[in-house]
Amino acid sequence: MVDTVSALRLSELAPRVLQSEIRAMSVACDAMGGVNLAQGVCDTEVPAVVAEGAQKAIRDGLNIYTRLDGIARLRTAIAAQVARTHGIEVDPEREVLITSGATGAFQAASLALLNPGDEVLVFEPFYGYHLNMLKGMRVVPVPVALVAPAWELDLEAVRAAITPKTRAVVVNTPSNPSGKIFTRKELEGLAAVAVEFDLFVFTDEIYEHFVYGGAKHVSPMELPGMRERTILMSGFSKTFSVTGWRIGYLIADAKWVGSIGYFHDLTYVCAPAPLQHGVADGVEQLPPSYYTGLAQDHEAKRTMLVDALRDAGMNPHVPDGAYYILADASSLQGANAAEKARTLLRETGVGSVAGSAFFRPGGGEDLLRFCFAKKDADLADACRRLRGRA
Ligand code: PLP
């Protein structure tokens, strides 16, 4: 008899990777015309030099593929910036890769350095893309809880999570969603563990310039013994408010960058050519005051939203960096964080993300995440709406 069961089906992985809760909430918020503090899309202005640089590059015909590792001018400008801000010397010809955002950097690095079945430590609360990207490659993410309320690193928990299959640890500093900045002391402890167990450290530093209240951003790559094992990923989505441009970068030892670039080429070929030129203009020409101004502006926005959440009875964790706030949602109706987020949307028109998106099942159910990288007028509107429920 002919077998009538169709062979057309989703892959083994497809059902396990769900639509991000962040996108779902953004859709619900837009549908009701609310103020969307759910998604980390910055509404702030693109620096003129960056926007004009990209437009000029298009007009000048710089629209074809670039070298797979990106244009030399941008790689050189990034290497100079990293030397200036972190004291890390990198070879722009062999150790810098321009990527399709920090996301493309993480994907390509994971393909080049990890095998199916490998285990990778991810700090919780985590950024969902890190976890799901690893799962998508059949790598096993192993969450290690940071200790609330200050989200401190627990080195004993790190050690306890390590098995013979552990290959890497993912650091995100400043962190989404907690706003945690790993201190130098914490990173030194983590570096010692990485050296002891011979682990890669993937470090996502996309919020490196969003640092508040005297906190200092330190990259694990700066620490002694860490140069060879650190894969530094960052980008311009947040710094230049160009999330849709898809321009990021990766810095690593030359012995890894060739293979990482190979995988990046297979998926993306190159980051968008004229946009690389616009970003290069920005990195070359914007003064240090641009970056300090960015931090100051966002610190003021942080204060606005922290105060409003307090007034609304939703005790916030005050972040040291990035541009998100995790706040207490226990006063909202709902059986879980997703329901509480929808209650808040219904009551106030303010979109947030369920804290459960950043924890293992059962965690984060009394937390909501709010993004404050918004135009002041929109943020003020959201703050007014939040206070309305008090
Ligand atoms: N990494 C973290 C921690 C993020 O929060 C985000 C965006 O929200 C990204 C990476 C995405 O960066 P990119 O746009 O450069 O891919």
Side-chain angles (χ1 to χ4, degrees):
M1 223 176 84
V2 179
D3 183 358
T4 55
V5 178
S6 171
L8 304 180
R9 61 179 68 101
L10 292 168
S11 78
E12 279 169 31
L13 283 176
R16 282 183 247 147
V17 180
L18 304 172
Q19 192 209 355
S20 105
E21 175 65 19
I22 302 174
R23 276 179 194 267
M25 198 58 200
S26 294
V27 170
C29 183
D30 292 348
M32 71 166 288
V35 187
N36 187 2
L37 303 190
Q39 209 160 20
V41 285
C42 10
D43 290 349
T44 40
E45 293 295 320
V46 179
V49 62
V50 174
E52 282 158 19
Q55 286 161 7
K56 179 170 181 308
I58 292 173
R59 281 197 307 273
D60 289 351
L62 301 172
N63 299 304
I64 58 169
Y65 301 136
T66 67
R67 222 171 85 165
L68 73 84
D69 54 354
I71 62 171
R73 194 156 73 83
L74 181 53
R75 281 183 281 108
T76 304
I78 290 168
Q81 194 175 54
V82 168
R84 227 174 18 247
T85 55
H86 292 300
I88 305 169
E89 295 298 330
V90 296
D91 177 355
E93 274 298 298
R94 298 160 67 235
E95 297 186 312
V96 182
L97 179 69
I98 308 303
T99 57
S100 177
T103 310
F106 188 57
Q107 187 210 24
S110 301
L111 280 166
L113 305 175
L114 302 170
N115 287 312
D118 285 352
E119 293 177 6
V120 172
L121 308 188
V122 177
F123 293 108
E124 179 191 54
F126 43 70
Y127 171 58
Y129 269 73
H130 289 157
L131 199 89
N132 291 326
M133 179 80 81
L134 293 169
K135 285 187 187 169
M137 296 183 194
R138 296 170 165 81
V139 170
V140 183
V142 177
V144 176
L146 295 168
V147 186
W151 310 115
E152 279 146 9
L153 175 67
D154 176 355
L155 277 178
E156 282 320 302
V158 173
R159 287 176 167 279
I162 292 175
T163 76
K165 290 186 178 169
T166 311
R167 289 282 165 272
V169 48
V170 177
V171 173
N172 175 209
T173 186
S175 165
N176 172 11
S178 68
K180 175 189 175 58
I181 293 186
F182 283 74
T183 63
R184 181 175 291 274
K185 190 158 174 287
E186 284 178 323
L187 289 174
E188 281 168 354
L190 193 62
V193 173
V195 170
E196 182 182 339
F197 292 93
D198 214 7
L199 308 177
F200 279 113
V201 174
F202 288 74
T203 173
D204 177 339
E205 303 180 11
I206 191 93
Y207 299 104
E208 62 193 303
H209 299 293
F210 297 84
V211 171
Y212 316 121
K216 174 142 175 41
H217 167 62
V218 178
S219 172
M221 193 176 258
E222 293 172 35
L223 303 178
M226 292 303 287
R227 180 69 167 76
E228 184 193 359
R229 64 182 67 251
T230 305
I231 311 297
L232 192 163
M233 302 165 296
S234 191
F236 303 94
S237 283
K238 317 287 173 174
T239 309
F240 292 164
S241 297
V242 289
T243 51
W245 283 22
R246 315 309 306 130
I247 307 282
Y249 62 90
L250 177 145
I251 294 176
D253 189 284
K255 71 171 154 238
W256 316 125
V257 168
S259 294
I260 298 171
Y262 166 82
F263 281 108
H264 187 270
D265 178 27
L266 282 186
T267 311
Y268 305 102
V269 183
C270 65
L275 308 185
Q276 289 190 52
H277 285 277
V279 166
D281 286 343
V283 183
E284 284 171 355
Q285 293 175 39
L286 288 166
S289 60
Y290 171 77
Y291 300 95
T292 46
L294 196 65
Q296 277 161 10
D297 286 355
H298 284 78
E299 186 159 349
K301 293 177 198 288
R302 176 188 74 155
T303 304
M304 276 171 79
L305 189 55
V306 161
D307 290 351
L309 287 165
R310 280 199 183 120
D311 290 349
M314 300 178 65
N315 188 28
H317 293 258
V318 181
D320 289 326
Y323 47 56
Y324 307 95
I325 297 175
L326 285 173
D328 176 24
S330 53
S331 64
L332 288 158
Q333 252 182 10
N336 54 39
E339 284 186 22
K340 288 168 199 267
R342 278 161 183 81
T343 301
L344 187 69
L345 182 63
R346 229 179 13 254
E347 283 181 357
T348 66
V350 174
S352 60
V353 182
S356 48
F358 312 103
F359 291 81
R360 279 165 282 192
E365 298 294 4
D366 260 336
L367 292 172
L368 294 179
R369 191 200 72 173
F370 298 84
C371 171
F372 57 83
K374 298 284 151 185
K375 291 201 179 83
D376 281 345
D378 294 336
L379 195 59
D381 184 16
C383 290
R384 234 181 345 263
R385 288 163 177 260
L386 286 169
R387 285 195 170 95
R389 76 173 288 268

